[in-house]
Amino acid sequence: MDVILLTIFLILFLFSLFKLFKSNKNKNSNNYYEHNLNNSNEKHKQQKDILHNTFKSDNNPKPKTVENEDISSELFQSNNNLKKEVEEQKKYIKELEEKINKNDSTELNENSEDNEILSDNINSKDSPEKQFETVNYKQNLASLTYDNDEIIDFNSNKLDLTYTKARKLSSDFVVLDFETTGLKYSEHEIIQYGVVEFKNGAIINETTQFFKPDEPVRKSLVKKIGITNEFLEDKPKISEYYMEELHNLLKGKTIVAHNAPFDMKFLLKNLHDYDIDHERFRVFDTLPAARRLIHETPNHKLPTLKEYFNLDDGSSHDAINDARATGKLALLLLERMN
């Protein structure tokens, strides 16, 4: 009996141990799963927070610093503007040089010994500012006074080649024409001057004088103008006396010349050489005026105009004949201007 009781007690004890062991195992298992679940939830929460912050950051980006970019942009724009200004200045200088070369070429063509190319194919519809070449190519074309700012140093004295270019002309004037040994006033010499004075449109006085140059006249020039070295052999040398005489014929009057810069440079150079004081001359140039007002002729060289309008029956390249013809041309231009 005791054995049976002991056996029952033992069975109950073992059964209790088994139940206790099983209960602890389930509890540990639950704790493990609960711990893993908590960890998973925490990790998921962290990921969610990260995504939330990222989305918030994308929707509200922080302003970037653009100070350096703005400075670079301003420097780049300033550099471009400076380049444009330099290019415009270069273009303006180039246009001035082309204009100066064009005017110089016109003067040389009108007086060259061998060049037969027409030098005056200028559109007759050009404005008066374009038709009337200035003595000073760099100054304002709208000005009524044109100064040649070419100042040349001879014997430490300043040669001032300035004069007033007249826009208007009356029927009282004096015409000046030179025959020279070449085109360069600083190197070549005057061998004849012709002066014809007009009053009320009529000739009242004519004066001419020949000079023997220091250097012989070139053969090519002799063929053109017809003045030989033999003819000039007994003529006087140009001197202060003759330049004073010429100045007295011109002073106080409006001077008319065809391609005036050529004649005026020789006049002013020789007055300077002999230290003759003079006023600022007023000069009307028939060459640009003819280009503007005469459209019937193929060119505007004086020989062409003389022949077309029958201005003079004398030979060309004789100073007195050319001066007489230039005066009549001036009267024709005056009539057309009026």
Side-chain angles (χ1 to χ4, degrees):
M1 185 68 178
D2 292 334
V3 173
I4 295 173
L5 291 173
L6 180 61
T7 302
I8 294 170
F9 178 77
L10 182 61
I11 292 170
L12 292 173
F13 177 75
L14 290 175
F15 179 76
S16 298
L17 287 176
F18 176 75
K19 291 288 289 182
L20 181 63
F21 175 77
K22 186 176 180 180
S23 174
N24 288 336
K25 184 177 181 180
N26 289 334
K27 184 177 181 180
N28 289 337
S29 176
N30 290 335
N31 289 339
Y32 173 78
Y33 286 115
E34 183 178 357
H35 176 72
N36 287 342
L37 180 61
N38 290 336
N39 288 341
S40 176
N41 290 337
E42 184 67 23
K43 186 174 182 180
H44 178 70
K45 182 179 181 181
Q46 289 178 355
Q47 290 177 348
K48 184 178 180 180
D49 290 339
I50 291 174
L51 290 175
H52 177 73
N53 292 335
T54 301
F55 179 77
K56 182 177 181 181
S57 176
D58 289 340
N59 289 335
N60 299 282
K62 294 182 179 180
K64 297 182 179 180
T65 302
V66 295
E67 181 177 356
N68 291 336
E69 294 179 0
D70 290 342
I71 294 175
S72 298
S73 177
E74 291 176 0
L75 290 175
F76 181 79
Q77 185 64 31
S78 177
N79 186 48
N80 285 341
N81 292 338
L82 183 60
K83 286 182 179 179
K84 290 180 180 178
E85 291 178 1
V86 171
E87 291 299 325
E88 290 176 355
Q89 290 293 332
K90 288 182 179 180
K91 183 178 179 181
Y92 178 71
I93 293 173
K94 184 177 179 181
E95 290 175 352
L96 280 179
E97 291 175 347
E98 290 176 353
K99 185 169 185 179
I100 292 172
N101 292 334
K102 181 179 179 180
N103 282 282
D104 288 344
S105 176
T106 299
E107 179 184 336
L108 290 175
N109 286 337
E110 289 294 328
N111 293 279
S112 173
E113 302 159 16
D114 304 312
N115 191 351
E116 295 300 325
I117 299 176
L118 297 181
S119 62
D120 54 359
N121 294 326
I122 296 180
N123 192 335
S124 60
K125 296 182 180 180
D126 284 346
S127 65
E129 286 78 8
K130 292 183 179 180
Q131 292 292 340
F132 282 81
E133 293 90 352
T134 64
V135 179
N136 177 9
Y137 300 118
K138 297 180 182 179
Q139 72 180 58
N140 191 341
L141 293 177
S143 173
L144 297 183
T145 299
Y146 296 84
D147 293 339
N148 186 324
D149 61 358
E150 182 178 7
I151 306 298
I152 299 181
D153 193 351
F154 289 98
N155 300 323
S156 300
N157 294 323
K158 295 293 184 179
L159 171 60
D160 186 4
L161 299 176
T162 62
Y163 61 89
T164 299
K165 185 169 184 181
R167 291 283 189 180
K168 297 181 180 180
L169 182 68
S170 70
S171 57
D172 297 339
F173 53 84
V174 60
V175 185
L176 173 66
D177 188 79
F178 287 123
E179 295 300 329
T180 65
T181 58
L183 300 176
K184 297 181 179 180
Y185 65 92
S186 59
E187 300 178 10
H188 298 126
E189 303 171 72
I190 296 172
I191 56 176
Q192 183 194 10
Y193 73 71
V195 176
V196 178
E197 185 175 358
F198 285 74
K199 189 172 183 62
N200 295 325
I203 296 175
I204 61 171
N205 185 41
E206 292 185 352
T207 306
T208 188
Q209 179 64 54
F210 290 91
F211 302 104
K212 180 181 178 180
D214 293 332
E215 298 293 331
V217 181
R218 301 190 310 275
K219 291 182 179 180
S220 59
L221 185 58
V222 169
K223 292 179 180 179
K224 181 178 181 180
I225 66 177
I227 301 176
T228 65
N229 290 298
E230 291 75 17
F231 174 78
L232 297 174
E233 185 62 34
D234 61 347
K235 301 300 183 286
K237 293 280 189 178
I238 194 169
S239 64
E240 181 181 356
Y241 170 81
Y242 290 106
M243 289 309 300
E244 283 280 13
E245 184 180 68
L246 176 58
H247 177 238
N248 290 333
L249 294 171
L250 302 174
K251 66 181 181 181
K253 305 178 180 71
T254 297
I255 298 174
V256 172
H258 196 72
N259 190 25
F262 173 81
D263 298 287
M264 292 306 298
K265 287 176 183 178
F266 275 95
L267 173 64
L268 295 168
K269 163 65 167 55
N270 281 272
L271 290 175
H272 170 270
D273 287 349
Y274 294 105
D275 198 24
I276 298 174
D277 292 332
H278 60 86
E279 73 280 15
R280 185 185 183 91
F281 295 108
R282 182 175 185 270
V283 183
F284 182 85
D285 193 346
T286 55
L287 175 58
R291 287 171 173 163
R292 183 167 62 91
L293 298 171
I294 296 175
H295 313 306
E296 306 93 305
T297 57
N299 61 68
H300 298 89
K301 295 180 181 180
L302 188 58
T304 302
L305 297 173
K306 284 172 63 174
E307 181 179 359
Y308 188 88
F309 293 105
N310 193 26
L311 300 176
D312 185 68
D313 56 3
S315 62
S316 295
H317 302 296
D318 176 272
I320 194 66
N321 290 335
D322 285 349
R324 190 183 301 116
T326 299
K328 293 180 179 180
L329 173 62
L331 294 175
L332 185 151
L333 295 171
L334 179 61
E335 181 180 350
R336 293 197 176 192
M337 283 189 291
N338 291 335

